[in-house]
Amino acid sequence: DKAQVTVLPLLKYNEPLHRKFSVKAGGSTPIAESLWWLFQQDAFRTENRKIILLITDGQADDPEQAKEAIDFGQNIGFEFHGVGIKDSNIKGLLPNSSEVIQSLGEMCPVMFRLLQNTLIKQ
């Protein structure tokens, strides 16, 4: 049995978005796996701050593992904010730093509202 790959890099850090960008949904929300992969890629970056904006339209495949990954990330200095798209499960993972939107038009104002205080913080 071949293991199903749930996390793949679409672009590397600082790589421009190409015209053939396409993502197909697979019916899964591998938040924990995605975060562990991200930590491995970015934990030793030299920037003073590492902010993760977690955007999801569903419940994590394993909410307990996702919470453990977020706790670990916070302990090593990552800052987290979340946006739920027509789904409030993000509130269970990031109760004090997430919002839920119902339409795409809400995305930018909500992202700016969530990140405003964080981005101006020294």
Side-chain angles (χ1 to χ4, degrees):
D1 241 345
K2 193 174 183 182
Q4 181 180 1
V5 176
T6 57
V7 179
L8 293 170
L10 296 174
L11 298 171
K12 292 184 179 179
Y13 180 76
N14 237 4
E15 187 177 72
L17 183 64
H18 51 80
R19 293 186 178 273
K20 295 181 181 179
F21 186 76
S22 176
V23 177
K24 295 181 182 175
S28 180
T29 308
I31 292 174
E33 295 94 326
S34 298
L35 292 174
W36 288 115
W37 181 86
L38 179 68
F39 299 153
Q40 291 176 34
Q41 299 298 309
D42 289 352
F44 299 105
R45 294 193 57 80
T46 58
E47 287 83 4
N48 292 332
R49 297 176 69 194
K50 298 173 185 88
I51 301 170
I52 296 173
L53 179 59
L54 181 57
I55 302 172
T56 182
D57 65 350
Q59 181 174 355
D61 292 344
D62 188 326
E64 189 58 37
Q65 284 186 7
K67 184 63 179 149
E68 288 174 16
I70 290 169
D71 290 344
F72 175 84
Q74 290 171 329
N75 287 335
I76 63 169
F78 284 89
E79 301 171 50
F80 289 85
H81 296 279
V83 177
I85 302 171
K86 292 186 176 183
D87 187 282
S88 62
N89 282 296
I90 192 71
K91 293 285 202 182
L93 296 174
L94 299 168
N96 300 315
S97 61
S98 64
E99 292 192 32
V100 177
I101 64 171
Q102 299 301 317
S103 69
L104 188 57
E106 297 174 82
M107 181 68 80
C108 286
V110 165
M111 285 174 29
F112 283 116
R113 187 168 51 247
L114 282 170
L115 296 173
Q116 182 177 13
N117 291 331
T118 298
L119 293 173
I120 60 174
K121 194 167 57 168
Q122 294 297 326

